[in-house]
Each structure stands twice: as C-alpha cells, then as structure tokens.
Amino acid sequence: MIRLKLLFAALVGTLVYVGLSATLGQTGFKSYNLLEEQKREISLQTSEIQTIHDELELEATALQNDRDLIASYARKLDYVSDGEKLVKINGLRKSDKPLYDTGTILYSHEITYLSDDSIKLLSLFAFFLTFILLFMLGLSRGEYSFKRKKKEYVAGIPVYDLPQI
C-alpha cells in the first residue's frame, strides 16, 4: 500500500515538474510568447529602417545625377553660380529640411522564467506533500498502526516444534 502511495506521489511530483517546465520554464510557453513579441518588435523596427534606407538611397542617387537638385541645395547654403545674384531678406526663417529619423533604439527585454532548480524544488515539495497527505489519510482510516505487538510468553518449559525423526 505504501508503494502505491509512493508511486502516486511520484506521479504528482512529475506532473508538477512537467507542468511548470512547460508553462514557466526557460523553454516554456511564457518565454516563447515573450520572444515572439520581441521578434515582432524587431521586425517592425527593421522595416522602418529599411524604409529610411530606401529614401536616403533615392536621395543619394538624385544628388549624384540631378544638377538642379545640387544647385537648389547650393542655393540653400548661400552659394551662387556665375551670373546669379543672391538677395537676402531679413526676418524670414530658412526652411531647412528636417534631419532624417534614423529609427529608435530598440533594447531587448530580459526574459523572465523560473529556473530549473526552482522547478525541481517545487516538484519535490509537491511529491513530499502528496505522500504525507496520503500517509495521513491512511492513518486516519486505520490502515497503519504504530502499536507494537506484545509478545506472548508461556510460563514453564519451552516446547519447540521440532520434526520427529
């Protein structure tokens, strides 16, 4: 009977270990979901940076090939070509082109999980707790007793049951 209770307690401890490992462990569902969320954030950030890269590449190509664009940038920097005159009007703000957004810094989040040692301790605790509860239940039902059986003594000459020859 005690073997059955030990086996059942071991089963409970094993199920607790498997359950905690699958949900809160390092490779559990919680860690997996957090990693998937970080993957989505990184993917979005990568697509934003790719868009900025494409815009800058287009502008770099235009600056290398389009003379009118180069001339307009030169005029913004107060350069003039031969035969042009520059008129400055005080009180007007320059319409500077805004700086490009290079994206935001993306920090990885620390993945929190229950360590394997903690899970093992909890499952061992579940094993002992289950075994103790089952043992106490057996005691309350009277399956076990700790009373020593009294040896009966016969007064007189001891008689041994020996086989006859």
Side-chain angles (χ1 to χ4, degrees), residues 7 13 20 22 30 46 51 54 58 67 80 89 91 99 103 109 120 123 128-130 141 149 158 160:
L7 285 175
L20 287 175
K30 182 182 174 190
T46 303
T51 304
D54 293 341
L58 183 66
R67 291 188 158 274
V80 292
I89 302 173
L99 295 175
H109 305 290
K120 287 177 183 175
S123 62
F128 284 123
L129 183 67
T130 304
R141 290 184 181 171
K149 294 181 181 179
Y160 299 103

Side-chain angles (χ1 to χ4, degrees), residues 8-35:
F8 184 74
L11 174 71
V12 169
T14 304
L15 289 177
V16 167
Y17 177 78
V18 169
L20 287 175
S21 292
T23 54
L24 302 175
Q26 185 176 8
T27 57
F29 295 122
K30 182 182 174 190
S31 298
Y32 179 76
N33 289 337
L34 290 174
L35 286 173

Side-chain angles (χ1 to χ4, degrees), residues 2 21 23 25 30 35-36 41 55 57 59 68 80 104 111 117 121 125 129 136 139 141 143 161:
I2 286 196
S21 292
T23 54
K30 182 182 174 190
L35 286 173
E36 282 294 319
E41 289 176 4
E55 289 174 3
E57 195 172 75
E59 188 168 335
D68 293 332
V80 292
T104 57
I111 303 297
D117 292 336
L121 283 175
F125 177 73
L129 183 67
M136 290 175 69
L139 279 177
R141 290 184 181 171
E143 294 175 7
D161 189 20

Side-chain angles (χ1 to χ4, degrees), residues 20-88:
L20 287 175
S21 292
T23 54
L24 302 175
Q26 185 176 8
T27 57
F29 295 122
K30 182 182 174 190
S31 298
Y32 179 76
N33 289 337
L34 290 174
L35 286 173
E36 282 294 319
E37 183 180 326
Q38 282 188 10
K39 180 181 171 184
R40 281 191 294 273
E41 289 176 4
I42 290 172
S43 176
L44 286 173
Q45 186 72 11
T46 303
S47 66
E48 288 178 16
I49 291 173
Q50 184 63 41
T51 304
I52 293 169
H53 173 73
D54 293 341
E55 289 174 3
L56 288 174
E57 195 172 75
L58 183 66
E59 188 168 335
T61 304
L63 281 172
Q64 289 172 352
N65 300 327
D66 191 4
R67 291 188 158 274
D68 293 332
L69 185 63
I70 295 170
S72 70
Y73 275 114
R75 285 189 196 99
K76 285 182 184 177
L77 296 173
D78 296 336
Y79 288 104
V80 292
S81 63
D82 293 337
E84 285 185 338
K85 293 184 180 179
L86 180 64
V87 177
K88 288 188 176 184

